[in-house]
Amino acid sequence: MEKMPKSKGEVVIERLMGELDPASERYQVLASARRFKSSWVELGEQLLKVQAQGRFRDWGYDSFEEYCSREIRIKQPTAQKLTLAYRYLEKEEPELLVRRTELVPPPDYRSVDLLRRAREEETLPDEEYAALRRAVLEEERSHPTVLRRFRDLAAPRQPEEERLRQQLAAALASARRLQTALEPVPDLPTDFPDQLGRVIARLEEQVAAAATQPSADNL
């Protein structure tokens, strides 16, 4: 069976590992990053320590974000989700960490981060939080499924003005995509481009007007 070619990130990580002592902390973090796809939990734990102890400075980086981007080869939002998701498991689900070798693979880190947000930011009722927890940790639902469920639970708690802003912005983006997609299509009704243009102009006005309205947070 033919091996898949290595990504640029994997090549960089392996090159760095070849220059380090396998017993060193820096090497161990890189090894965790290489295994990231199969086990994010270990990498989340390692990155949390690197961030908390400022070890990235010892290794020549000015910030944790720069270290993650240039050495571990992950973006800042991913690093944040990994560390926060691990911290959530440490606090709320420590038994999963104790027996984490049995989790093959562990729950998707993005789903665990949504579970953290549901607990810490959205303050869902216990019943709704428990249902989301089951979906992530027990039923092993896919991340898209968990994301839809999270949005359904969190949406009613958004201020009406914010929901309207999001709906208008989404409608405007869809109208613009439609306009672009129809440009090469022949034999459209002659007045259709003008009608669609008027719809887009009206949506742009509504988006601009909604943006000037004070949100509930600022009242």
Side-chain angles (χ1 to χ4, degrees), residues 154-177:
R157 292 165 179 78
Q158 287 183 323
E160 184 63 33
E161 297 86 351
E162 181 59 28
R163 285 206 300 277
L164 177 60
R165 289 189 187 96
Q166 292 178 1
Q167 290 166 353
L168 287 171
L172 177 57
S174 297
R176 285 172 173 165
R177 285 196 298 270

Side-chain angles (χ1 to χ4, degrees), residues 56-57 59-67 70:
F56 55 87
R57 296 189 186 91
W59 302 332
Y61 296 98
D62 293 330
S63 68
F64 178 68
E65 291 74 18
E66 182 190 13
Y67 164 73
R70 294 181 58 188

Side-chain angles (χ1 to χ4, degrees), residues 176-197:
R176 285 172 173 165
R177 285 196 298 270
L178 177 61
Q179 185 182 51
T180 300
L182 292 176
E183 284 177 357
V185 177
D187 301 326
L188 290 173
T190 55
D191 61 341
F192 182 76
D194 289 339
Q195 290 179 0
L196 183 56

Side-chain angles (χ1 to χ4, degrees), residues 26-197:
R26 187 175 180 180
Y27 181 98
Q28 294 303 320
V29 180
L30 284 166
S32 298
R34 191 172 59 175
R35 295 191 295 269
F36 172 36
K37 292 298 182 182
S38 62
S39 180
W40 65 265
V41 176
E42 180 182 2
L43 180 57
E45 179 182 21
Q46 296 276 7
L47 289 180
L48 197 58
K49 291 178 182 177
V50 170
Q51 184 181 39
Q53 299 171 4
R55 297 288 286 145
F56 55 87
R57 296 189 186 91
D58 300 336
W59 302 332
Y61 296 98
D62 293 330
S63 68
F64 178 68
E65 291 74 18
E66 182 190 13
Y67 164 73
C68 288
S69 174
R70 294 181 58 188
E71 181 155 326
I72 303 301
R73 315 297 290 188
I74 59 175
K75 296 180 180 179
Q76 191 273 335
T78 301
Q80 183 178 39
K81 284 187 176 71
L82 284 168
T83 54
L84 291 177
Y86 180 83
R87 185 178 291 163
Y88 164 84
L89 290 182
E90 196 173 41
K91 177 182 176 183
E92 300 287 343
E93 306 288 343
E95 69 282 359
L96 291 184
L97 297 180
V98 171
R99 56 185 178 87
R100 64 184 175 184
T101 54
E102 300 172 17
L103 301 178
V104 184
D108 191 302
Y109 73 95
R110 296 168 299 173
S111 296
V112 175
D113 186 60
L114 288 178
L115 195 56
R116 175 196 65 79
R117 287 174 55 190
R119 172 61 90 194
E120 298 176 3
E121 299 173 16
E122 299 296 337
T123 59
L124 297 181
D126 289 345
E127 198 172 293
E128 293 180 358
Y129 172 79
L132 190 66
R133 180 190 177 280
R134 283 195 301 273
V136 175
L137 302 181
E138 297 174 18
E139 299 168 5
E140 299 180 357
R141 300 292 184 183
S142 68
H143 178 65
T145 299
V146 173
L147 179 59
R148 284 194 298 272
R149 190 170 299 186
F150 174 80
R151 285 174 174 167
D152 289 344
L153 293 172
R157 292 165 179 78
Q158 287 183 323
E160 184 63 33
E161 297 86 351
E162 181 59 28
R163 285 206 300 277
L164 177 60
R165 289 189 187 96
Q166 292 178 1
Q167 290 166 353
L168 287 171
L172 177 57
S174 297
R176 285 172 173 165
R177 285 196 298 270
L178 177 61
Q179 185 182 51
T180 300
L182 292 176
E183 284 177 357
V185 177
D187 301 326
L188 290 173
T190 55
D191 61 341
F192 182 76
D194 289 339
Q195 290 179 0
L196 183 56

